[in-house]
């Protein structure tokens, strides 16, 4: 269910709102390059709760609030009462009296839904086990920069279909009218409810959504190829099993030969070179992973500006 007062999943907003966010993000990125300040959130404070470790999420939100003229508070689960058993609802109500917004990076998606239900201020999903919408907003920004458009493009996601990146990509790319082709090994298919909902969204926006067990089929004539690590946070104990299960799903030169000649490669990072992607691809001329990482900053500033 969408909730425009928060940003919990990619389907909290309609297509027009996402385009507005991308436009705002591009404007602020240009202003940074030109040294033009944009203190839209002067005097505003963002509480950042981290129950999972982070590089890009923490730095981009902290710097983003600084560039917007506001302030960000880093709250580790080791340092606050939430990590010692305080109810999520109590934390939401207390923080609502102190700060203007909450960003949380946590485990089950039900946790962030409970937080947003009891908070009287906006809540932003910095990552849950099921969704990673901030990353996908940055991915859309990157694709639009590189290709000049979103609607009508073909994007292939190769890898674990039942993870947060796959789910948010399926939602976000479908919402923008893209042709989304997902390939995963047996046993790692995307959530069926998310797939059904996203298919309806894709149909409404002249896009399409398909699933295959064949990575070669998924990347056929793709404009964009995206992957993620085979063992996400919380799946490390399954590393050896996953290396075996995903061995035919590596993004390498043989696989990308099926895509369009001018395809671009995206990865949310951190990457395990020579596992889900070869160094030749991620460090090669088609890769835009560092532009994608930089765009986390500006895409999230657009979300912060909208909500705070």
């Amino acid at each position: 269910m969408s909730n425009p007062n928060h940003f919990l999943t990619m389907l909290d907003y309609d297509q027009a709102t996402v385009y507005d966010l991308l436009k705002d993000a591009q404007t602020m990125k240009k202003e940074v390059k030109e040294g033009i300040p944009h203190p839209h959130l002067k005097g505003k404070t963002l509480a950042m709760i981290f129950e999972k470790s982070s590089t890009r999420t923490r730095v981009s939100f902290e710097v983003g609030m600084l560039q917007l003229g506001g302030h960000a508070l880093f709250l580790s689960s080791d340092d606050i009462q939430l990590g010692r058993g305080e109810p999520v609802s109590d934390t939401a109500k207390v923080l609502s009296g102190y700060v203007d917004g909450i960003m949380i990076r946590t485990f089950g998606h039900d946790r962030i839904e409970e937080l947003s239900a009891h908070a009287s201020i906006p809540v932003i999903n910095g990552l849950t086990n099921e969704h990673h919408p901030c990353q996908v907003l940055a991915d859309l920004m990157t694709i639009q920069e590189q290709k000049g458009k979103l609607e009508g493009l073909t994007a292939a996601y190769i890898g674990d279909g039942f993870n947060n990146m796959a789910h948010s990509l399926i939602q976000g790319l479908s919402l923008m009218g893209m042709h989304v082709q997902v390939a995963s090994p047996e046993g790692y298919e995307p959530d069926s409810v998310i797939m059904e909902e996203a298919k309806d969204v894709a149909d409404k926006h002249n896009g399409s959504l398909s699933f295959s067990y064949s990575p070669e089929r998924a990347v056929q004539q793709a404009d964009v190829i995206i992957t993620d690590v085979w063992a996400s946070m919380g799946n490390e104990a399954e590393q050896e099993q996953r290396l075996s299960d995903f061995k035919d799903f590596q993004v390498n030169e043989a696989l990308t030969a099926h895509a369009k000649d001018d395809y671009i490669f995206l990865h949310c990072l951190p990457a395990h070179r020579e596992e889900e992607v070869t160094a030749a691809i991620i460090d090669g001329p088609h890769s835009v992973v560092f532009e994608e990482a930089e765009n986390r900053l500006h895409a999230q500033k657009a979300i912060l500006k909208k909500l705070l």
Side-chain angles (χ1 to χ4, degrees):
M1 184 181 295
S2 67
N3 189 334
N5 298 316
H6 303 291
F7 187 47
L8 307 187
T9 79
M10 280 303 303
L11 296 186
D12 279 344
Y13 302 138
D14 58 21
Q15 188 189 80
T17 302
V18 173
Y19 270 124
D20 287 344
L21 288 168
L22 295 176
K23 183 179 179 181
D24 211 14
Q26 290 288 2
T27 297
M28 287 189 281
K29 181 176 182 178
K30 185 171 183 284
E31 287 172 344
V32 168
K33 303 296 184 187
E34 295 175 355
I36 301 170
H38 42 248
H40 303 294
L41 299 182
K42 187 174 182 181
K44 299 286 187 178
T45 303
L46 176 73
M48 307 189 306
I49 302 173
F50 284 88
E51 297 186 309
K52 283 189 173 186
S53 59
S54 166
T55 298
R56 280 150 289 276
T57 300
R58 178 178 178 181
V59 175
S60 56
F61 269 107
E62 204 159 317
V63 172
M65 280 300 289
L66 179 66
Q67 290 184 0
L68 288 167
H71 181 70
L73 295 167
F74 173 76
L75 305 174
S76 163
S77 57
D78 295 332
D79 303 326
I80 61 175
Q81 298 300 329
L82 188 63
R84 298 174 59 192
E86 180 173 61
V88 172
S89 57
D90 287 3
T91 298
K93 292 169 185 174
V94 169
L95 289 179
S96 294
Y98 293 150
V99 299
D100 301 287
I102 302 169
M103 186 284 296
I104 184 169
R105 188 174 171 93
T106 188
F107 295 90
H109 197 73
D110 56 339
R111 199 160 171 82
I112 197 171
E113 288 179 336
E114 184 180 1
L115 186 74
S116 64
H118 292 277
S120 58
I121 55 176
V123 174
I124 297 171
N125 182 358
L127 177 141
T128 63
N129 290 344
E130 293 81 12
H131 294 278
H132 198 358
C134 287
Q135 177 65 56
V136 171
L137 193 65
D139 292 355
L140 290 170
M141 180 180 176
T142 308
I143 296 166
Q144 189 182 51
E145 275 182 343
Q146 298 291 324
K147 294 295 184 181
K149 65 174 185 174
L150 294 170
E151 190 171 3
L153 293 176
T154 298
Y157 173 82
I158 310 298
D160 185 359
F162 198 78
N163 80 357
N164 46 29
M165 275 307 302
H167 290 156
S168 286
L169 283 164
I170 287 166
Q171 291 183 334
L173 301 179
S174 296
L175 179 64
M176 305 316 288
M178 297 176 68
H179 301 292
V180 189
Q181 301 172 172
V182 180
S184 306
E186 288 191 44
Y188 298 93
E189 299 87 350
D191 179 88
S192 58
V193 175
I194 287 175
M195 284 290 286
E196 288 172 19
E197 188 177 25
K199 278 182 179 178
D200 290 341
V201 170
D203 289 343
K204 290 176 185 174
H205 295 287
N206 302 313
S208 64
L209 174 60
S210 63
F211 176 81
S212 168
Y213 294 111
S214 166
E216 290 80 12
R217 185 181 304 166
V219 300
Q220 285 292 332
Q221 292 301 298
D223 299 284
V224 185
I225 298 176
I226 310 171
T227 192
D228 191 12
V229 293
W230 291 341
S232 299
M233 279 184 285
N235 301 129
E236 291 85 356
E238 305 168 15
Q239 177 73 14
E240 290 307 312
Q241 181 63 50
R242 285 172 175 256
L243 285 174
S244 172
D245 293 345
F246 284 88
K247 65 183 189 309
D248 296 327
F249 286 76
Q250 184 186 70
V251 178
N252 52 37
E253 288 176 317
L255 183 63
T256 58
H258 298 278
K260 289 183 180 175
D261 291 342
D262 63 346
Y263 82 91
I264 58 172
F265 174 76
L266 277 69
H267 191 307
C268 62
L269 302 179
H272 295 164
R273 285 166 171 78
E274 307 308 327
E275 286 186 17
E276 73 273 8
V277 60
T278 60
I281 297 299
I282 194 169
D283 298 322
H286 295 275
S287 176
V288 291
V289 298
F290 296 111
E291 292 90 335
E292 176 189 8
E294 180 186 347
N295 283 340
R296 285 287 300 277
L297 170 64
H298 307 295
Q300 288 163 187
K301 282 191 297 184
I303 284 288
L304 290 166
K305 181 185 169 191
K306 172 181 169 54
L307 290 177
L308 272 61

